[in-house]
Amino acid sequence: MKISVFETKEAASKYASDIFYEQIKKQPNSVLGLATGGTMSTFYEKLSGSINENPIDVKKLNTFNLDEYYEITSENPQSYHAYMKTLFFDKVGIDSAQTHFPYQKEHQEDPSLYDQQIDALGGIDIQLLGIGRNGHIGFNEPNTPFNSITRVVDLSETTIQDNARFFEDINEVPKQAVSMGISTIMKAKRIILLAFGEAKKDIIIELSKMTTPDENIPASILLTHPNVEIIVDKTIGEYLN
Ligand code: GLP
C-alpha cells in the first residue's frame, strides 16, 4: 500500500486527477469507479480542468459511482447523482447513458445487479475512494463483511453526523444508502484513495500501522489489494513515517 504525501490538498488532487487523465487518454473506453464527498470536489475541478484544456475522448467511458443515498430522487441537489452531474459529468460532456449509480429512486433494481453490470463491462480499471473517519469506504460501515457486494446499508451515527454538514438539518440526512460492497471495490484493478486534513488524520495513521485487515476498519482490506495508492496532504503526512 503506497502512501504519497503532498504539500496541499490542491497539489494532491492535481496528482490524483492526472492519474485519471492518463488512464482515460491511454484507454478511452475505461471503466471508472467514482466517489463523492467533500474530499473529491478539488479532484473533479482539476480533472475537468485538464480535460477541457487538453481535450481527450470521454465519450467511450463508463462510470460507476460507489454509492447513493436511499429514497432520494436523482434530481434532489443532495443526491450523489446531482453532485456528479454538477461537479464533473456536465463539465466534460459525459452523457447520463455512460454513468451508473447503485440506486436511482426512479428506476429501482436489485442492487446486486450492479456487480454484474460492472463485470459485464470488464470490471473497474481504476477506482477513486474517500474514507470515513470510522474507516468506511463507500458506505461500508465498520464490521461490514469483506465479502459483501452492492446492497442497501444502514448509515452509522458517525456518518450521519459527518454528512449533516451537507444538509440544512441533521434529520434530513438519509439513514440508508445503497453502496458497492467491499468485494465489489476490491475487484477494481487499481485503487486511488484520497484523504485530507485534520478530520482524516487519525484513521490514516491507524491504517498505516496495520498489518492485517480487520472488519472493524473497512479500509484495512486495502492492505491485501495489489495496486493501491493512498494520497494525503501534509496535515496527515507529517504524522506518517
Ligand atoms: C461519505 C461517502 C464516502 C466518502 C466518505 C468521506 O459518506 N459515502 O464515499 O468517501 O464519506 O466523505 P468526505 O470526503 O465528505 O469526508
Side-chain angles (χ1 to χ4, degrees), residues 8 37 53 62 78 85-86 113 123-124 127 167 181 193 227 230:
T8 61
E53 277 158 37
N62 271 284
Q78 313 292 3
K85 228 172 124 44
T86 313
L113 294 176
I124 290 173
Q127 174 70 53
F167 293 80
L193 185 148
N227 194 352
I230 297 185

Side-chain angles (χ1 to χ4, degrees), residues 19 28 46 66 97 109 124 133 136 159 162 185 191 241:
I19 294 174
K46 303 283 180 200
L66 269 175
E109 312 190 306
I124 290 173
R133 276 193 299 145
H136 76 215
T159 301
D162 284 350
I185 294 170
I191 296 178
N241 300 321

Side-chain angles (χ1 to χ4, degrees), residues 35-40 66-67 69 80 129-133 136-139 141 155 159 162-163 165-166 194 199-200:
T36 50
T39 307
M40 302 304 161
L66 269 175
D67 43 23
Y69 289 121
Y80 289 161
L129 280 187
I131 187 168
R133 276 193 299 145
H136 76 215
I137 48 176
F139 270 131
E141 300 287 21
L155 305 189
T159 301
D162 284 350
N163 288 358
R165 69 189 196 279
F166 299 113
L194 307 186
K200 305 294 168 70

Side-chain angles (χ1 to χ4, degrees), residues 32-50:
L32 307 182
L34 298 177
T36 50
T39 307
M40 302 304 161
S41 55
T42 312
F43 168 88
Y44 288 119
E45 188 188 312
K46 303 283 180 200
L47 183 56
S48 53
S50 300

Side-chain angles (χ1 to χ4, degrees), residues 141-196:
E141 300 287 21
N143 298 315
T144 298
F146 283 151
N147 64 2
S148 51
I149 63 168
T150 306
R151 74 222 177 279
V152 179
V153 296
D154 294 328
L155 305 189
S156 73
E157 205 41 53
T158 337
T159 301
I160 292 171
Q161 282 168 18
D162 284 350
N163 288 358
R165 69 189 196 279
F166 299 113
F167 293 80
E168 286 196 1
D169 187 303
I170 192 163
N171 295 314
E172 286 177 18
V173 185
K175 307 275 183 292
Q176 288 186 305
V178 180
S179 177
M180 275 190 201
I182 294 189
S183 78
T184 322
I185 294 170
M186 285 296 283
K187 282 203 274 179
K189 293 165 196 139
R190 183 175 184 189
I191 296 178
I192 303 291
L193 185 148
L194 307 186
F196 307 131

Side-chain angles (χ1 to χ4, degrees), residues 21 27 33 41 64 66 72 80 101 108 117-118 132 150 174-176 186 190 192 198 218 234-235:
Y21 181 89
Q27 191 188 330
S41 55
F64 284 86
L66 269 175
I72 67 176
Y80 289 161
F101 288 81
Q108 293 192 34
Q117 287 168 14
I118 296 171
T150 306
K175 307 275 183 292
Q176 288 186 305
M186 285 296 283
R190 183 175 184 189
I192 303 291
E198 204 51 45
K234 208 176 68 180
T235 309

